[in-house]
Amino acid sequence: MTLHLYGFWRSLATFRVRIALNLKGLDYREQMIDLFGGDQHEASFRAINPMGAVPALVEPGHPPLTQSMAILEYLEEVYPDPPLLPASARARAHVRALAMITVADTHPLMVPRVRGYLADVLSLDEPTRNAWLEHWSRSAFLALEQQLAGVPGPFCAGSSPTIADICLVAQMVGARLTGFDMSAFPACNRIVDHCLQLDAFARAHPLRQRGAPAPK
Ligand SMILES: N[C@@H](CCC(=O)N[C@@H](CS)C(=O)NCC(=O)O)C(=O)O
């Protein structure tokens, strides 16, 4: 069975889902919704996700699944091997909490519709908008670094990747692509660089997707 993923090369939320699909060895095909060209606002796509956002994941014969975290949890329940959550309830809560720092508290402040509102409705100039992005990015990585600095590794929560690593990698790669200086977060960088050596993470990288700019 081939899953149908609606995504976009630069979408960090889709990046999360691609990593999970790869880790679980699932077959999928990605249809790019051009977020820079406004394709997410088309009625045909709103019928798939009324939020006008990617990712959306479709299993043949079923309605679309939306919201990357809900999709990751769904994949974990239906395709439990390899697990992306630890065994104990307390460890699972910790992994989800690490993930939510980026998924719930940070990434939503940076998506195209928010950037568009800052520019078009609030008339903020580009340096001010970039300061917004950098502020929220730094505040997330400060909190993550504090919690990850002492972990034995090589992943956020032990010796295999979890949802926390998936979300950390997506946010860090996004920050690097934006050009932010991430050197103040060595533990985060160490985990991310370790993950990116794995094929499942590397193949999901935004710059390896259709439509991404060619490497300079
Ligand atoms: N919380 C959602 C966020 C989805 C989201 O906002 N995706 C972005 C791309 S990363 C998007 O499609 N944005 C369209 C827009 O803002 O117009 C999730 O995790 O799936």
Side-chain angles (χ1 to χ4, degrees):
M1 178 184 58
T2 301
L3 303 170
H4 190 97
L5 177 65
Y6 293 89
F8 184 56
W9 69 269
R10 187 63 175 80
S11 158
L12 302 184
T14 311
F15 184 14
R16 296 175 195 137
V17 172
R18 277 196 302 268
I19 298 168
L21 290 166
N22 291 344
L23 283 169
K24 291 194 177 280
L26 296 169
D27 185 33
Y28 65 97
R29 183 164 312 170
E30 184 169 351
Q31 177 180 339
M32 297 298 170
I33 303 299
D34 181 4
L35 299 185
F36 296 158
D39 289 1
Q40 70 273 37
H41 306 304
E42 297 289 332
S44 57
F45 184 68
R46 291 261 173 189
I48 291 154
N49 184 1
M51 272 300 288
V54 293
L57 184 70
V58 179
E59 278 181 321
H62 296 280
L65 296 167
T66 60
Q67 290 288 348
S68 62
M69 198 62 182
I71 295 172
L72 297 189
E73 294 273 0
Y74 172 82
L75 294 174
E76 181 67 2
E77 286 178 27
V78 176
Y79 307 98
D81 198 32
L84 299 179
L85 286 170
S88 84
R90 179 160 289 277
R92 284 200 297 276
H94 177 60
V95 159
R96 289 183 174 114
L98 290 175
M100 294 309 266
I101 289 176
T102 58
V103 173
D105 292 351
T106 312
H107 172 258
L109 299 164
M110 314 183 159
V111 291
R113 59 191 177 280
V114 170
R115 294 180 193 221
Y117 192 89
L118 296 176
D120 304 336
V121 179
L122 301 184
S123 305
L124 300 180
D125 60 20
E126 197 177 346
T128 310
R129 297 199 307 274
N130 285 341
W132 164 280
L133 299 177
E134 191 154 8
H135 171 79
W136 294 117
S137 185
R138 290 188 63 77
S139 98
F141 282 108
L142 276 171
L144 285 163
E145 186 69 21
Q146 204 174 322
Q147 294 180 77
L148 295 172
V151 300
F155 297 100
C156 289
S159 56
S160 60
T162 63
I163 283 172
D165 299 284
I166 292 174
C167 297
L168 174 69
V169 166
Q171 198 69 33
M172 176 62 87
V173 167
R176 289 176 181 176
L177 286 175
T178 309
F180 294 153
D181 176 7
M182 291 283 110
S183 56
F185 312 109
C188 294
N189 279 303
R190 194 167 52 245
I191 294 170
V192 167
D193 290 338
H194 182 77
C195 289
L196 287 172
Q197 286 172 18
L198 303 181
D199 180 63
F201 283 82
R203 264 192 297 131
H205 192 287
L207 294 182
R208 288 187 57 182
Q209 310 311 309
R210 255 179 303 121
K216 287 179 192 143

